[in-house]
Amino acid sequence: MRFRHPDGSVVHLAYCTNVHPAETLDGVLAQLRDHCEPVRKRLGRDRLGIGLWLAKDAAHALVTDPAALRGLRCELDRRGLEVVTLNGFPYEGFGAEEVKYRVYKPDWTDPERLSHTTDLARLLAALLPDDVTEGTISTLPLAWRTPFDTHDAEAARAALTVLAQRLDALAELTGKSIRIGLEPEPGCTVETTGDAIAPLTAIGHDRIGVCVDTCHLATSFEDPQTALDALATAGIPVVKSQLSAALHAEHPHLPEVREALAAFDEPRFLHQTRTRTAAGLRGTDDLGESLAGGALPETSAWRAHFHVPLHAAPAPPLTSTLPVLKDALAHLVGGPEPRTRHLEVETYTWQALPPELRPRSRPQLADGIAAELTLARDLLTDLGLKELP
């Protein structure tokens, strides 16, 4: 979906396909047919943007077979889909029964992360619509926080510097500018947008910036305006933003609140949990640790890294951080010019929701994704952007 910003530029809205498990190229082609095109039709659009997730095997198949890459491009066109952004964070196994810490491997100290991201950049340059010259890719924020020392930090910086050089060469070769955004996430070396400033300043290249995930932003209790202004002051670009909402529990000391939270403690993904205290943030790596008792203070609100559907907040006594998303979006695209032009709805946890909230069929999932995109579209038009055909 495309929107005209009041300054005349085009802002793209997509939804991320990492919600659909697909490790192979055949799986990717099937998800275009079974999920993406039905969402487009529900929205009554001739064209729908998708934030494509290409796992290791799918990316390798496309890089090594030009005919397969042309076939994917044709399939996107045939189904009324377009790609301007990729989710390069998960490497493989994102649909496994247990993902947890595995999603952070390989990290930016591992040459395979550089190789994979280079492949993604080359693929995206070939997949961009003919009238689009800029693509974006989100990636993990260097590494999980442990173990990570100064030697690791230097290895990650060196890898990203090489990547920036390769992106420059790719732009010269293709005329397509591909940019990479580190996606701050609780528990990682770069947990907050503020944590991103020092390593990105050390790299000092405008093709390497930040992907602002509004669930992560909220989970770490970051104020959107403060965070975005600090990035702007440091000259760090917001490459893209993922529109997502975290789980919010205002009164975690109440038994009924803890019972409601326990329904979201599931085995597939990490749900890092944070609370704000006078001494700063306190947190656990997973929701279950917090609920076990004593790990977190219970005197102020808890937020958990659980991407809940944008249009459907959890039932009381829980809620979502949708207000943080709205605030962030206003500062991202509500000003005289957009701070980013690529937005991506990223609720990948539909099948990890409590059983009574999960979609029971493909049509139900398509309905839910379409409802999220409708909400995002309405937020954008309320900010003065005009939806384009």
Side-chain angles (χ1 to χ4, degrees), residues 218-219 221 246-249 272-275 301-305 321 324:
T219 301
F221 287 87
L247 193 62
H248 181 97
Q272 302 93 313
T273 304
R274 299 290 184 267
T275 188
W302 289 4
R303 288 178 178 173
H305 173 216
T321 60
V324 178

Side-chain angles (χ1 to χ4, degrees), residues 130-346:
D130 292 339
D131 62 342
V132 174
T133 59
E134 180 180 302
T136 58
I137 302 172
S138 48
T139 189
L140 81 161
L142 302 186
W144 187 251
R145 69 182 184 279
T146 56
F148 195 84
D149 57 21
T150 54
H151 174 77
D152 295 324
E154 176 55 31
R157 186 200 64 78
L160 285 164
T161 299
V162 170
L163 177 65
Q165 295 166 352
R166 292 178 179 179
L167 297 177
D168 284 342
L170 184 64
E172 258 190 70
L173 179 67
T174 66
K176 305 290 187 177
S177 173
I178 308 299
R179 298 193 297 162
I180 308 296
L182 302 185
E183 182 184 330
E185 176 166 315
C188 292
T189 301
V190 175
E191 171 153 339
T192 66
T193 55
D195 294 337
I197 291 175
L200 290 177
T201 299
I203 295 166
H205 199 294
D206 62 3
R207 295 197 196 279
I208 313 290
V210 167
C211 168
V212 174
D213 183 303
T214 58
C215 170
H216 303 172
L217 192 80
T219 301
S220 294
F221 287 87
E222 290 195 79
D223 173 68
Q225 181 173 357
T226 302
L228 294 171
D229 286 352
L231 291 174
T233 299
I236 305 297
V238 179
V239 168
K240 65 184 276 192
S241 180
Q242 289 173 326
L243 306 183
S244 53
L247 193 62
H248 181 97
E250 187 65 26
H251 302 292
H253 66 286
L254 296 176
E256 60 267 30
V257 174
R258 300 177 74 84
E259 182 181 356
L261 282 171
F264 288 84
D265 179 26
E266 56 82 38
R268 180 176 295 179
F269 302 110
L270 275 187
H271 300 297
Q272 302 93 313
T273 304
R274 299 290 184 267
T275 188
R276 191 163 44 184
T277 72
L281 277 186
R282 291 276 302 278
T284 62
D285 284 354
D286 214 347
L287 181 57
E289 298 173 40
S290 302
L291 294 171
L296 286 185
E298 300 175 1
T299 53
S300 58
W302 289 4
R303 288 178 178 173
H305 173 216
F306 195 119
H307 290 220
V308 295
L310 302 187
H311 67 293
L318 303 179
T319 187
S320 81
T321 60
L322 183 62
V324 178
L325 183 160
K326 292 179 178 179
D327 190 17
L329 194 60
H331 289 98
L332 284 167
V333 300
E337 58 184 33
R339 298 192 189 198
T340 187
R341 291 187 296 276
H342 289 181
L343 305 171
E344 179 183 55
V345 171
E346 197 215 11

